[in-house]
Structures are given as C-alpha cells and as structure tokens.
Amino acid sequence: MSDNTPLRLSAADQQKLAQAHQLLESPGLAARFSDKLGSPIEAGLRRLPAGWREKVNNLTQYALKKALKAAISSMGEGTGKPPSPRLHKLAVATSGGVGGVFGLSALALELPVSTTLILRAIADIARSEGEDLHHPDSQLACLTVFALGGSGASDDGADSGYFAVRAALAQSVSQAAEHLASRGLTQEGAPVLVKLITSVAQRFSVQVSQKVAAQAIPAIGAVGGATINTLFIDHYQRMAKGHFAIRALEREYGAEAVKAAYLALPG
C-alpha cells in the first residue's frame, strides 16, 4: 500500500476502529465520577489536606513500579483468550471498600494493590487482542494504558488525545523495551524504566487524584469506595480495549495508515 493510497478497512475493522475511537476519546474519569456520585469532584478536592498532591504523585510511581513487576511478569501463556473483566472488577471494588472507610490514609496500602489488579485486567484484554505478554513491547503497552485519560477539561488538559499521549511516550517506551529485552525486570530501577514510569505516573496521578477527591466527598463510606474503584478499573478497561484494538489494526494495516484513519473520524 503506497502512502497516497487511502486506507481501506474491512467493514468489521471499520467498526472496530470507530468503537476504539469512541472509547479512547470518551469523557474522562472526573466526569464519570461526578455523574455517578451526584457531586462534583471539586467538592472532594477542597476537603483534602495540604500536601496531598505530592503524596499522590509519589504513591503513583511506587504503585506502577510494583505493578509492572508483579502483574505483567506473572501473566500466563497464550494469546487470544477472552478477558475476564468481572473478576478483576470485583477484586478492585473490594480493595476500594478499604479506601472508602479509611480515606487518604489507606491510599499507601490500597493503591499498589488496585494498580496491580488493574494492570492484570489490562494485560488480560491485551492478550485477548493477540498481544504476546512475554514480549517487552506488549508489556510496556499495558503499562502505558495508565497514561490514557479520555477527553474532557477535567482531565490532563494538554496533549490528552490518544495519539498525542502515545507520541509523548514513544521514545521512553522504545528505550525501556530495549532494556527489558536484554535484562528483563531484574533491574526495574534502571534509568530508562524510571523515566517511563515517571512519565506515565504524571498522567496516572491525575486520575488517582480524582479518585481520592471522590472518596473525600462526605458520606462516601465503604460502599461508595467500592463504586469509585469499580469506575476506576472500568475506565482503564475501556482505555485498554480501545488501545489494543488499535494495535491489532496496526499489525494488519500499518501504524501510519491506522493513525490517519483514526484522526479522520469525527469527534
């Protein structure tokens, strides 16, 4: 296919691309929290103690490091297996109940657990779309899902579109994949991995901050905490479904052609 030839997807793949676009460019997590809880996230933000942003930023980096080692490296073999979204949602909802009861003080315990569970859910979806989870590129593609926030003014304002995020992370992902291919996860503190995790954490912390703010809304409690965590994992499952559908199409048609077709879609 020449560069000047328009991409011609099959009818099924055209629908797959459109569905991925709808997922990846959908309203962000803050909007979904506000809609479900009936209260704007700003109300929760005002109740959080001083210095909480720095704590969240530090915890997101720690959680991603732990999740990368624990979740991806332990996934079973095989590709194309159907994902198990309900099982992962139940586990994350349970951990969210703890956060709902104890609030910000429980985040140091709850976030690494829920992040690992979410990463396993992401990897489950990746495998169902034909990704080889023993390949460093696929492993890091799972990790970068945490950088995807959806659209909306309440999310990370600049460069929040799907392909803008991928472009921003591309060099770090490439360097980290080379490191993993040669040395594996035994040196997760290597500079190239730290750089990638830091970049992903900067965007992931925006979503975590919104989760924390939602949990700070009065009368949330354990039930509300479970609801918030269910929305939290559902958000990343949606991002993963879109992301790995795009990667599957790229393997079929080529990255540049799929990107052009994606950007040509309305909305």
Side-chain angles (χ1 to χ4, degrees):
M1 183 182 297
S2 69
D3 292 340
N4 296 324
T5 302
L7 176 64
R8 294 186 180 277
L9 285 76
S10 67
D13 286 340
Q14 288 177 350
Q15 183 178 14
K16 186 173 185 175
L17 181 67
Q19 289 173 341
H21 182 276
Q22 183 178 18
L23 290 170
L24 292 165
E25 307 297 341
S26 63
L29 191 57
R32 299 186 69 198
F33 279 151
S34 296
D35 180 63
K36 186 70 174 181
L37 301 174
S39 180
I41 294 300
E42 287 74 13
L45 289 172
R46 290 193 293 267
R47 298 181 62 84
L48 294 173
W52 67 272
R53 286 185 184 275
E54 183 178 358
K55 182 175 182 179
V56 167
N57 289 337
N58 292 336
L59 282 174
T60 53
Q61 291 192 44
Y62 173 78
L64 288 173
K65 289 176 184 177
K66 291 296 183 183
L68 178 62
K69 187 172 184 178
I72 295 298
S73 62
S74 64
M75 288 299 293
E77 295 192 10
T79 60
K81 296 180 181 179
S84 306
R86 292 183 180 178
L87 179 63
H88 292 112
K89 276 190 174 72
L90 177 61
V92 172
T94 301
S95 70
V98 176
V101 172
F102 297 103
L104 187 59
S105 62
L107 190 65
L109 297 175
E110 185 262 323
L111 185 61
V113 173
S114 61
T115 302
T116 300
L117 291 169
I118 291 170
L119 187 51
R120 287 189 62 85
I122 290 169
D124 206 19
I125 291 167
R127 185 172 56 187
S128 75
E129 286 288 350
E131 298 279 349
D132 179 1
L133 294 177
H134 293 91
H135 195 285
D137 180 66
S138 293
Q139 294 174 357
L140 295 179
C142 292
L143 181 71
T144 57
V145 170
F146 286 104
L148 303 176
S151 63
S154 296
D155 292 310
D156 192 9
D159 299 326
S160 61
Y162 170 66
F163 277 103
V165 173
R166 283 186 63 176
L169 296 175
Q171 184 178 11
S172 293
V173 169
S174 177
Q175 293 173 344
E178 290 181 10
H179 174 85
L180 287 179
S182 61
R183 303 184 185 182
L185 283 166
T186 57
Q187 293 184 334
E188 65 269 19
V192 291
L193 286 175
V194 171
K195 180 181 178 182
L196 175 60
I197 289 172
T198 299
S199 297
V200 173
Q202 287 176 347
R203 296 176 183 273
F204 181 42
S205 66
V206 174
Q207 315 302 327
V208 175
S209 295
Q210 293 164 357
K211 173 176 125 65
V212 172
Q215 289 174 322
I217 295 173
I220 286 296
V223 175
T227 299
I228 289 167
N229 260 26
T230 300
L231 289 172
F232 196 56
I233 186 174
D234 182 69
H235 170 77
Y236 288 108
Q237 286 176 320
R238 289 162 60 89
M239 294 297 106
K241 287 176 184 176
H243 179 48
F244 290 108
I246 294 295
R247 283 174 59 90
L249 291 172
E250 289 174 345
R251 291 193 292 272
E252 179 71 20
Y253 297 99
E256 290 303 317
V258 172
K259 179 180 178 180
Y262 180 98
L263 295 177
L265 292 171

